[in-house]
Amino acid sequence: MSFESLGLAPALLRALSEQGYTEPTPIQAAAIPLVLKGADLMAAAQTGTGKTAAFALPLLQRLNEKALGDGRRPVRALVLTPTRELAAQVHDNLREYGRHLRLSSTVIFGGVGMGNQLTALRRGVDIIVATPGRLIDHMQQRSVDLSKIDVLVLDEADRMLDMGFLPALKRILNALPKQNRQTLLFSATFAPEIKALAREFMRDPREVSVSPANSVAALVTHHVHPVDAERKRDLLLHILSIDSRRQTLVFSRTKHGADKLVRHLEVSGIRAAAIHGNKSQNARTKALSDFKANKITVLVATDIAARGIDIDQLPVVINYDLPMVAEDYVHRIGRTGRAGSDGQAISLVSHDEAGLLRDIRRLLKDELNVSDMAGYEPSTPLRTDAAAPRPKQAQRQPQGQRPQRSGSRDGKPGQRPPATHRPHGHVNNGGSEHAAGNKRRRQRRGGAASNKA
Ligand code: AMP
């Protein structure tokens, strides 16, 4: 199959060949013709399989077919992402694919000044890539008009539709045209209730799925090492020392834990940085770009970096802590084994996480390779029975029910309700905190524990 046969325009084909892409990935082959036809779409594809181009290429083509003159143009396409880093990445991709077209775009997210965003919006752009919080700030200031949007894309759609982002998303949906709008949802995972919710604002959506739901890339090998909690740090150092130049992304459950781990790694002579929601946007951007440029070897992240972020040839992801929600394992691990290369997923699992490991194994319907690391064997074997423990904050989810995150009106992830509380950080997508949002959040959380991530 070729990109030509999908009906893409010569200017896009040229950009693709300059990128070195020779043929479409399965999700691109399935989605591009449908999007070009104008259909609404829910597309499930495992992460790292070329999802961005699957919506970006036909989106650019459709806008280009209806190209407007040189004057100030209305915003005609909106791409929403849950994290600032993902917004920046999707925007970069759109610019690369659209380099031979006369379409303009800008990216809008919080944590940075408004000035450049206002200038771009005043000049007029065809496409906005945004996180919800800052976009709402612009809506409130009337610096953006979304009433002419033809195409809406929700990237990481399941996250955009969960409780943390839903209030913000509803406000944005209210500002968009209801008629004749094309809506595209892309995600690695789609829970049934998320699909049902999405149908409320989609027109007869087509569904494509190119891999079993909730699967991880086949080229990723999974290793689970049981270890006593107090020996995790030593085991991590041991694994890192096996190949000290190997770029490694380490996931920590909490922001505080991530900072502590970085200090420990640095004392041990390893160049490392942390990325999480308490860091300034500058620090987040620098950590990610230093990691991509090989200036640091280890990036320690909360789940802020679990979604969508594309790090070329990342060979290893280590779960220093297991995620509280099994689906997040899929997102984390998706940072490696991308675009056909192989990768390793290593999880260090202490006794208190045995229940979380059980959840992940169930979700993946697969036995992960569990083996002791010589010299770091746990004092007692990990439990595998139904009553296997979880960290205190993690309560068991009712069967089939996706955990919900509560959050503020600006899409800043807040707390989940106590029963589903998950203490790791999600993205702060910017935007100012407002008293009303805080109050709503407090009410929702019912005074539950603070966000530790
Ligand atoms: P994504 O799932 O959109 O984050 O893409 C994962 C990686 O695959 C990115 O590095 C893309 O640049 C790359 N990619 C996307 N489409 C193709 C293609 N058709 N051929 C080769 N690489 C691709």
Side-chain angles (χ1 to χ4, degrees), residues 342-369:
D342 31 329
Q344 265 190 59
I346 302 173
S347 301
L348 314 187
V349 181
S350 49
H351 295 286
D352 59 328
E353 297 174 306
L356 301 179
L357 178 62
R358 201 164 172 270
D359 295 345
I360 292 166
R361 288 172 130 177
R362 275 188 171 178
L363 179 76
L364 300 183
K365 297 187 180 64
D366 190 19
E367 287 291 305
L368 303 181
N369 174 16

Side-chain angles (χ1 to χ4, degrees), residues 5 37 59 84 112 121 123 133 135 137 142 149 166 260 285 300 313 325 424 450:
S5 66
K37 272 190 216 149
L59 167 72
R84 299 170 185 169
V112 294
L121 291 172
R123 212 181 295 131
L135 184 66
D137 289 341
R142 300 187 190 287
I149 294 286
L166 197 56
K260 246 170 71 179
T285 307
V300 183
Q313 308 287 323
V325 177
H424 58 226
S450 64

Side-chain angles (χ1 to χ4, degrees), residues 39-109:
D40 278 13
L41 184 67
M42 286 192 217
Q46 60 198 74
T47 186
T49 54
K51 274 187 291 157
T52 315
F55 65 76
L57 293 167
L59 167 72
L60 289 163
Q61 177 147 332
R62 296 204 75 213
L63 295 185
N64 192 54
E65 280 164 0
K66 288 198 274 171
L68 304 175
D70 281 337
R72 190 175 181 285
R73 18 180 91 210
V75 188
R76 292 184 290 149
L78 174 63
V79 183
L80 291 174
T81 75
T83 74
R84 299 170 185 169
E85 284 76 10
L86 185 55
Q89 183 179 297
V90 168
H91 184 238
D92 286 347
N93 287 354
L94 275 164
R95 286 171 60 122
E96 279 159 17
Y97 302 143
R99 62 201 291 184
H100 302 301
L101 302 176
R102 295 186 60 206
L103 293 170
S104 60
S105 59
T106 195
V107 61
I108 286 184
F109 52 70

Side-chain angles (χ1 to χ4, degrees), residues 232-233 235-237 239-240 246-254 257-262 265 270-276 291 296-306 311 314-322 332-333 335 344 346-348:
K232 267 195 184 183
R233 278 202 325 205
L235 177 53
L236 176 67
L237 283 177
I239 293 170
L240 293 174
R246 196 167 62 165
Q247 293 289 104
T248 306
L249 177 61
V250 176
F251 280 102
S252 151
R253 196 177 298 141
T254 67
D259 286 337
K260 246 170 71 179
L261 206 49
V262 165
L265 293 173
I270 294 170
R271 286 170 306 153
I275 182 167
H276 56 64
F291 187 60
I296 54 172
T297 335
V298 177
L299 184 65
V300 183
T302 56
D303 280 83
I304 200 169
I311 301 163
L314 179 64
V316 194
V317 169
I318 299 182
N319 288 311
Y320 185 77
D321 303 305
L322 284 185
R332 289 180 175 191
I333 293 319
R335 300 314 101 216
Q344 265 190 59
I346 302 173
S347 301
L348 314 187

Side-chain angles (χ1 to χ4, degrees), residues 3 21 23-25 28 48-53 89 97 308 310 338-339:
F3 280 112
Y21 299 175
E23 56 179 315
T25 64
Q28 291 163 2
T49 54
K51 274 187 291 157
T52 315
Q89 183 179 297
Y97 302 143
D310 184 35
R338 293 172 75 74

Side-chain angles (χ1 to χ4, degrees), residues 141-186:
Q141 291 192 15
R142 300 187 190 287
S143 43
V144 67
D145 175 7
L146 301 178
S147 66
K148 304 282 189 302
I149 294 286
D150 288 329
V151 189
L152 169 69
V153 182
L154 302 187
D155 196 8
E156 299 294 334
D158 63 331
R159 176 80 179 100
M160 301 306 300
L161 286 166
D162 81 16
M163 286 304 280
F165 281 103
L166 197 56
L169 185 64
K170 283 188 170 160
R171 285 186 67 169
I172 295 169
L173 283 170
N174 275 337
L176 305 181
K178 308 269 174 298
Q179 307 289 327
N180 302 326
R181 186 190 76 218
Q182 184 177 25
T183 306
L184 310 173
L185 269 51
F186 280 76

